Structures are given as structure tokens and as C-alpha cells.
Amino acid sequence: MNKYSVAILPRCGLANKLFVWARCLEWSRRNNVEMLPTLWSQLRIGPIIRGEKDFKFYTGLFVSSSISSWIKWITKMLCLKNIHEVEHARFLDDSAGIYIFSELRDHFKGLEDSRTLILDELLRIVKPEIREIYFCTPSPVLGVHIRLGDFVNIQEALSIHWYVEQILFIRKIVSAEIPVTIFSDGHKNQLEEILKIPNVSWFDSGNPLID
């Protein structure tokens, strides 16, 4: 039977793209359906207009698929029935087609048991230099993600002082000045207050996938 799946990624940040890709991957492996290549790169104007540090084009992160793979992608998308997620259960048993994943749904809910599959496949498709950094970089003791870049009005974001309070609170609970690693799409001047805390560092790789 001529069945394929494809993840059509939303115009959003990399983490949300990964939700869609991971659900497509898990479903494809579980149902023995071939998954077509994923298009990760998208031109987005918003991050440029807002002056974000990361324009979120996501180029240069993943190993390029072959030309023949993309020709197959185009051919199948044009020639086969496009079956969207709400129709998957109804059509899977007897219909040829492209089973399309494009919605965020419940994020990673239901994928907990597929953690190893998802991580192994992600490491397989990223570029070798990114994979090397992943294996060579120690995991943070306490990682803190501070989202700032895509807020037009900075007042919409949680204040940096709130993050400071949470770090101090956690350290008080564990009775230790545990090292803290900050991950953020903001600029250094926006993070000054939190970076003044002892044993707090900013991991600024310039690569959203490594972060």
C-alpha cells in the first residue's frame, strides 16, 4: 500500500516544531509508514522586525536530504490523497495517501515512552558538528530558560527579578549554591540582574538546537 507520512511544521519556534515532528515520527514507526523528509527552514519576518537575537530561520542545523528525496516528497504530495490528523484513524487500514501532521495538539503528551526513539532520530538528522557539541557539553545542574526575544512589549514577559527569586528559593531548599545555567533568546543587557548572582552563567551557543 502506498502510504507515507510527513510533518508540515508550523511557523513558530524550534521547540514547537519538534512537537509536530516527534508525533509524526512516533506514529510512523508505530504504524510502519515511511516518513518523508521534514522542511525545517522557514523565512520569518517577525523576528527581524522585533530585532531578536535569533531570526529563527533554522538553517544549518540538520543534514540535508538528497535531491531524490525531495523529488519523491513533491511527487507524493501532489499525487496521493492528503490525509490530515483528524482522519488518520479512519483511513489508515485501507487507504493510500500522505498522512499529514501539522498541529501542536498536546505537545509531548503521549510520547513519554518514545523518548529514546525521538532523541536517537534527532541526533541522527542533525549536523555532525552539532552532535559533537551535544555529547561534549555537560548537562546543567539547574537550567533556566528565560524567554524574551519575541515579546513586542517586554512587560508581557516575566520579570528577571522573578527568575532571581526562584533561583534563590531553590538554593535555599537544597542548602547549596548550586550552579545555574541560563538559556535565553534575550540580549545580555536584559539579563544583567540575574547574571550578577554568584555561580550563574549564560550558555549562549548561538544555536537554538544546542541550547
Side-chain angles (χ1 to χ4, degrees):
M1 189 65 72
N2 216 3
K3 297 178 183 177
Y4 300 88
S5 68
V6 65
I8 304 297
L9 304 183
R11 297 177 66 81
C12 56
L14 183 59
N16 283 331
K17 292 180 186 294
L18 285 168
F19 291 138
V20 177
W21 170 82
R23 286 191 300 103
C24 183
L25 171 68
E26 187 277 335
W27 182 91
S28 302
R29 295 293 175 85
R30 177 161 44 86
N31 291 287
N32 196 29
V33 173
E34 180 181 345
M35 183 175 174
L36 297 176
T38 302
L39 180 62
W40 294 94
S41 301
Q42 293 176 336
L43 177 62
R44 300 180 61 195
I45 303 300
I48 300 175
I49 295 175
R50 290 190 293 267
E52 295 183 33
K53 186 178 65 176
D54 179 9
F55 290 162
K56 299 182 172 65
F57 293 165
Y58 306 126
T59 57
L61 301 181
F62 300 93
V63 175
S64 299
S65 297
S66 65
I67 294 177
S68 60
S69 295
W70 287 113
I71 292 175
K72 182 177 183 179
W73 190 98
I74 295 170
T75 302
K76 299 302 181 184
M77 288 293 287
L78 291 175
C79 297
L80 294 177
K81 178 192 298 182
N82 285 197
I83 303 171
H84 295 271
E85 291 178 74
V86 293
E87 303 172 298
H88 283 182
R90 180 157 56 97
F91 284 110
L92 180 61
D93 291 339
D94 56 6
S95 292
I98 299 285
Y99 290 79
I100 297 175
F101 289 77
S102 60
E103 301 173 10
L104 291 177
R105 294 292 181 96
D106 297 321
H107 300 116
F108 277 133
K109 184 178 180 181
L111 296 176
E112 296 88 348
D113 294 338
S114 301
R115 177 184 175 88
T116 300
L117 165 67
I118 293 168
L119 178 58
D120 288 350
E121 182 64 13
L122 182 60
L123 291 174
R124 186 188 71 81
I125 65 175
V126 299
K127 289 197 169 181
E129 55 269 30
I130 295 177
R131 191 183 309 122
E132 182 178 354
I133 294 173
Y134 170 81
F135 284 115
C136 294
T137 303
S139 299
V141 176
L142 175 61
V144 178
H145 174 226
I146 303 178
R147 179 178 170 182
L148 294 170
D150 55 357
F151 287 102
V152 176
N153 181 354
I154 197 63
Q155 300 303 321
E156 297 174 357
L158 285 170
S159 71
I160 296 299
H161 186 67
W162 182 88
Y163 291 97
V164 171
E165 290 180 335
Q166 305 315 305
I167 291 172
L168 297 178
F169 178 68
I170 292 172
R171 285 179 169 179
K172 183 178 180 181
I173 291 176
V174 299
S175 301
E177 193 177 274
I178 56 175
V180 176
T181 305
I182 304 297
F183 301 87
S184 179
D185 57 357
H187 296 278
K188 189 173 183 179
N189 65 310
Q190 297 174 296
L191 302 169
E192 285 181 351
E193 181 181 357
I194 201 165
L195 295 176
K196 291 177 182 177
I197 303 174
N199 211 12
V200 171
S201 60
W202 182 21
F203 187 83
D204 186 24
S205 70
N207 187 312
L209 191 55
I210 294 174
D211 293 352

